[in-house]
Amino acid sequence: MMITFKPRSLTFFVFIAFSIWCSSLLEPCDARKGGKQYWRQNKGASASALRKEQKGYGGNHHRHQAGPRVSTTPSRGDNYITPEETAAKLQKKGGGNSNVFNVLDYGAKGDGKADDTKAFEAAWAAACKVQASTINVPSGSVFLVKPISFSGPNCEANIVFQLDGKIIAPTSSGDWGSGLLQWLEFTKLKGISIKGKGIIDGQGSVWWSDSPTYNIPADQTYSSSQDTVIESDSGKMPSTKPTALRFYGSDGVSVTGITLQNSPQAHLKFDACTNVQVSDISISSPGDSPNTDGIHLQNSQDVVIFGTSIACGDDCISIQTGCSNIYVHNVNCGPGHGVSIGGLGKDNTKACVSNVTVRDVKMHNTLTGVRIKTWQGGSGSVQNIMFSNIQVSEVATPIMIDQFYCDKSKCQNETSAVAVSGVNYVNIQGTYTTKPVHFACSDSLPCTGVSLDTIQLKSVDEGKQLYGPFCWEAYGELKTSTVPEIDCLKKGKPYSSSTGAQSGSNDSC
């Protein structure tokens, strides 16, 4: 029997055959449209089709021989991510070519128990290679970091340490060897900033427990930030106590916003630095914690400190030899030992300090207010000093110059001294608990150019004054009347009987 095909059926089979031939190609084919439309679609081929072809997910492995070359450019329909979106993700994560380096991306755990030192070192090494980079220490995490030095001779300039989390020091004696002078150190950098709302906690109570002035038992110490006991390990902590945060040999240093607490010794130190700014930070440790200076300056110039609150067991701010052009204002101090220049000239050394202004400072429950202290036997000078607008409350001795400073039970008498001249006190007011003014100057090199203007100091115990103002070999002038009356200041300039000339200088600085 002869089989016949109707034209309509023949057309159907031709369409089916053409469709099968099209499906043998990599890309879809629309039989209803012309070649131009086909090639336009082929140029937009998806990357997923290419991946399936490479992995052999179905289809004929020889299809590429029959069809045109497939583009590897992903289409927007295939989870396409723009370069801008990629950059934004890297910026948020702190990786790739971004200039933000998050310590979590370098292995930090941030649980307060795991050692995160290597992660900080790795993040620093990466940030050093990028100018104006930022190291991110994120909030919500506690990072245990052992002693570390962030060194910068080969680092790019203007690195920012964005501290919003908490960094804690180890409390095991084994992590400190025979003793170190600092815990976190930044050295030889050009433009370094630490800023944020984070905390640097030195956990110093394990170090203070051997001090006779500290009242916590040696085998059990407490964290002021938590209601938990910090257990000391069986090993005794080294006798050398570290500074929590130190900058050395750096220019353009900024510390802003952070909190430093419970340092084993000084909290924040600048040594051989220039162009330093410290603002809006908080420093705290117990009033009986030994030698815990708030801010310590040495061999540094052009320093501004303002908007800062300091409570510690030693000087709130200590200004040592080699410092000049120091400006301190709007600072709260107490408990502590006040703002001090010195001690200078220890072990017969030469010391030079000049151009220091301390103003708009409030002090409460401190050992001294504004003080200059020098050792016998030293040389050099302290000159051009201004203390103004100082408000004191329950301060033992608000105004002091002591050229017989000694932190031991006995010190040897010596004739040489660091010269003190050009010291101005303006608008010092408030209450004291022991003595309002104490000027103890060298017999061989008296203090000169001391001026007092608007001094209003009253005993905490109204009507009972334990000690009046004290002056020894102090020369200067009263520019206004004072409370209490200060009548012990000598006028003019001292005369040296040995040289027949006016004295008041020693080894030009």
Side-chain angles (χ1 to χ4, degrees):
M1 180 177 63
M2 180 178 293
I3 301 174
T4 61
F5 294 96
K6 295 180 179 181
R8 181 178 297 177
S9 299
L10 183 60
T11 302
F12 174 77
F13 281 112
V14 170
F15 178 81
I16 293 298
F18 184 76
S19 298
I20 293 174
W21 177 78
C22 284
S23 67
S24 68
L25 300 176
L26 278 175
E27 293 304 315
C29 178
D30 190 340
R32 294 170 297 175
K33 297 185 178 181
K36 289 184 179 180
Q37 177 68 21
Y38 170 82
W39 289 109
R40 194 158 51 240
Q41 289 179 333
N42 190 55
K43 289 182 180 180
S46 70
S48 60
L50 179 61
R51 289 195 295 269
K52 289 181 179 180
E53 174 67 17
Q54 291 171 337
K55 294 182 179 180
Y57 290 162
N60 190 338
H61 295 292
H62 300 288
R63 290 173 183 170
H64 65 280
Q65 295 176 352
R69 181 179 294 274
V70 178
S71 170
T72 59
T73 303
S75 68
R76 281 195 170 272
D78 189 34
N79 298 322
Y80 181 75
I81 300 176
T82 66
E84 292 78 9
E85 291 169 334
T86 302
K89 285 189 174 183
L90 288 173
Q91 183 78 9
K92 183 177 180 181
K93 184 178 180 182
N97 295 323
S98 169
N99 67 341
V100 179
F101 302 86
N102 192 321
V103 294
L104 293 176
D105 295 329
Y106 290 85
K109 300 299 183 184
D111 60 5
K113 298 178 181 179
D115 181 3
D116 289 328
T117 310
K118 290 189 181 299
F120 275 68
E121 290 174 337
W124 177 260
C128 267
K129 301 174 183 178
V130 181
Q131 188 170 17
S133 59
T134 297
I135 295 176
N136 186 17
V137 182
S139 61
S141 298
V142 180
F143 302 93
L144 175 62
V145 177
K146 295 179 181 179
I148 186 172
S149 178
F150 300 100
S151 183
N154 299 316
C155 279
E156 294 290 343
N158 303 320
I159 298 176
V160 175
F161 210 92
Q162 182 67 42
L163 175 59
D164 293 309
K166 184 176 183 179
I167 302 175
I168 61 174
T171 57
S172 170
S173 61
D175 293 324
W176 299 96
S178 59
L180 297 172
L181 294 175
Q182 48 271 328
W183 167 34
L184 306 174
E185 182 180 38
F186 292 82
T187 67
K188 299 181 180 179
L189 293 162
K190 178 70 174 179
I192 174 67
S193 298
I194 296 183
K195 65 179 184 177
K197 298 181 179 180
I199 298 171
I200 295 175
D201 190 342
Q203 304 203 97
S205 57
V206 296
W207 301 81
W208 310 327
S209 57
D210 61 354
S211 170
T213 62
Y214 193 65
N215 297 320
I216 294 178
D219 61 341
Q220 204 172 58
T221 55
Y222 295 83
S223 168
S224 63
S225 59
Q226 303 174 1
D227 294 327
T228 55
V229 176
I230 299 176
E231 298 287 347
S232 302
D233 67 2
S234 57
K236 186 178 180 181
M237 302 303 280
S239 59
T240 301
K241 298 177 177 64
T243 291
L245 177 60
R246 181 193 186 222
F247 294 86
Y248 172 74
S250 297
D251 177 66
V253 182
S254 175
V255 181
T256 305
I258 67 170
T259 294
L260 295 105
Q261 63 189 31
N262 302 322
S263 177
Q265 200 173 59
H267 288 78
L268 177 59
K269 182 179 290 187
F270 298 93
D271 194 352
C273 292
T274 54
N275 299 308
V276 174
Q277 178 173 298
V278 179
S279 63
D280 302 313
I281 72 169
S282 175
I283 295 175
S284 65
S285 61
D288 58 353
S289 55
N291 303 313
T292 53
D293 287 10
I295 301 174
H296 183 97
L297 306 176
Q298 185 166 327
N299 296 314
S300 295
Q301 299 83 43
D302 302 314
V303 179
V304 179
I305 300 170
F306 65 95
T308 291
S309 179
I310 304 172
C312 59
D314 209 308
D315 296 331
C316 289
I317 299 175
S318 172
I319 302 170
Q320 299 293 327
T321 185
C323 290
S324 63
N325 301 329
I326 311 298
Y327 184 30
V328 177
H329 67 97
N330 297 98
V331 169
N332 292 330
C333 168
H337 292 184
V339 175
S340 296
I341 297 175
L344 304 174
K346 186 176 182 180
D347 298 326
N348 305 111
T349 57
K350 181 178 179 179
C352 300
V353 174
S354 64
N355 302 328
V356 175
T357 296
V358 178
R359 61 175 298 164
D360 303 312
V361 172
K362 293 181 180 180
M363 300 187 185
H364 175 70
N365 190 27
T366 57
L367 180 66
T368 61
V370 287
R371 170 172 59 163
I372 298 172
K373 51 183 179 177
T374 68
W375 295 75
Q376 295 184 74
S379 61
S381 67
V382 176
Q383 56 186 337
N384 299 330
I385 311 298
M386 170 65 77
F387 298 116
S388 68
N389 301 334
I390 311 297
Q391 183 69 41
V392 297
S393 174
E394 299 180 32
V395 171
T397 306
I399 297 174
M400 176 180 284
I401 297 176
D402 184 5
Q403 286 189 292
F404 300 91
Y405 178 71
C406 177
D407 63 358
K408 299 179 289 187
S409 59
K410 186 177 181 180
C411 291
Q412 182 178 349
N413 288 327
E414 299 190 45
T415 56
S416 179
V418 177
V420 177
S421 64
V423 184
N424 304 283
Y425 301 91
V426 179
N427 193 27
I428 316 294
Q429 301 191 32
T431 60
Y432 65 93
T433 61
T434 303
K435 185 187 302 183
V437 175
H438 181 89
F439 293 142
C441 299
S442 169
D443 294 287
S444 59
L445 202 62
C447 304
T448 61
V450 177
S451 72
L452 298 170
D453 185 344
T454 317
I455 309 300
Q456 301 283 329
L457 297 171
K458 298 180 179 180
S459 173
V460 171
D461 189 351
E462 290 279 351
K464 182 179 179 182
Q465 182 174 310
L466 295 178
Y467 300 98
F470 173 82
C471 305
W472 182 261
E473 292 300 321
Y475 288 76
E477 64 175 324
L478 298 177
K479 293 191 173 182
T480 64
S481 60
T482 63
V483 176
E485 183 180 358
I486 303 172
D487 57 5
C488 57
L489 194 66
K490 296 182 177 181
K491 296 181 180 180
K493 294 183 178 180
Y495 183 84
S496 173
S497 59
S498 61
T499 62
Q502 290 181 334
S503 62
S505 62
N506 187 18
D507 291 355
S508 176
C509 284

